[in-house]
């Protein structure tokens, strides 16, 4: 399986890598660093009476994502990163220090997308585009396998369900 996934990453390197993308992808991926952008989104929504429950759903979902993805799954699975298996690829960002599965950047991004979607917030469509580009950037930068990214999407869905369930109890009237 790893060989097939490395082939996908090598295809991305061969057909998409160019100076413009080499400067764009590190900037895109940095938008997902530490979930900062998604936390700001949740806080901004939380400050609005109209979107308070949506903001709570985003923030609670991100908290669940932190625990499930970064504290549990990454350490339980302990998957090496593709850049460790193929050190010939020149990294454009610092090598992440944690394990590869699932992609935390992708999980946080899709946690936010699914939280917005489940709360019927139209912003989900715009956030989906950004989340997809961030997820692609993780493969472009050779720090995640495709299944790491898919795992991040799945974690995002589960966390959004959990966050929404709690936010609906906290803000039933919203």
């Amino acid at each position: 399986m790893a060989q097939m996934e490395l082939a996908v990453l090598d295809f991305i390197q061969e057909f998409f890598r160019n100076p413009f993308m080499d400067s764009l992808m590190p900037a895109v991926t940095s938008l997902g660093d530490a979930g900062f952008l998604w936390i700001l989104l949740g806080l901004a929504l939380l400050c609005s009476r109209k979107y308070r429950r949506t903001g709570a759903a985003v923030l609670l979902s991100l908290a669940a994502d932190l625990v499930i993805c970064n504290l549990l799954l990454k350490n339980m699975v302990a998957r090496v990163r593709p850049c460790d298996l193929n050190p010939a690829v020149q990294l454009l960002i610092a090598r992440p220090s944690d394990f590869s599965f699932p992609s935390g950047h992708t999980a946080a991004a899709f946690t936010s997308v699914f939280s917005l979607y489940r709360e019927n917030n139209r912003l989900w469509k715009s956030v989906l585009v950004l989340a997809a580009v961030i997820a692609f950037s993780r493969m472009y930068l050779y720090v995640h396998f495709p299944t790491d990214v898919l795992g991040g999407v799945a974690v995002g869905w589960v966390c959004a369900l959990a966050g929404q369930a709690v936010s609906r109890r906290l803000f039933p009237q919203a």
Side-chain angles (χ1 to χ4, degrees):
M1 180 72 153
Q3 286 305 111
M4 195 164 71
E5 291 194 83
L6 283 171
V8 170
L9 297 179
D10 291 340
F11 175 85
I12 291 169
Q13 292 293 301
E14 186 175 341
F15 291 101
F16 290 93
R17 191 127 185 212
N18 63 64
F20 173 74
M21 294 286 281
D22 283 359
S23 63
L24 179 65
M25 289 293 110
V28 166
T29 213
S30 71
L31 293 173
D33 289 352
F36 187 69
L37 177 67
W38 312 119
I39 294 167
L40 283 178
L41 171 66
L43 289 172
L45 292 167
L46 193 63
C47 289
S48 165
R49 174 170 282 172
K50 182 177 179 182
Y51 299 112
R52 188 159 291 144
R53 186 172 75 190
T54 303
V58 169
L59 293 171
L60 291 164
S61 299
L62 288 169
D65 167 57
L66 173 68
V67 171
I68 292 170
C69 180
N70 293 66
L71 300 179
L72 296 176
L73 287 175
K74 280 188 181 278
N75 294 312
M76 285 173 32
V77 176
R79 186 178 196 187
V80 298
R81 291 186 177 271
C83 56
D84 295 331
L85 296 177
N86 185 2
V89 174
Q90 181 184 6
L91 292 182
L92 301 172
I93 60 171
R95 186 206 170 278
S97 60
D98 59 351
F99 293 111
S100 188
F101 182 88
S103 167
H105 281 70
T106 303
F110 278 88
T111 293
S112 300
V113 169
F114 293 136
S115 294
L116 294 169
Y117 174 77
R118 302 240 342 128
E119 287 294 322
N120 296 314
N121 186 300
R122 289 184 295 164
L123 191 57
W124 78 268
K125 294 174 186 176
S126 300
V127 174
L128 173 63
V129 173
L130 179 58
V133 176
I134 288 173
F136 177 76
S137 78
R138 303 308 285 168
M139 293 184 293
Y140 182 91
L141 295 169
Y142 222 86
V143 293
H144 280 293
F145 292 103
T147 52
D148 298 339
V149 169
L150 292 174
V153 172
V155 167
W157 178 253
V158 170
C159 291
L161 292 175
Q164 184 188 39
V166 174
S167 71
R168 287 191 173 192
R169 290 189 190 271
L170 293 173
F171 301 100
Q173 312 277 325

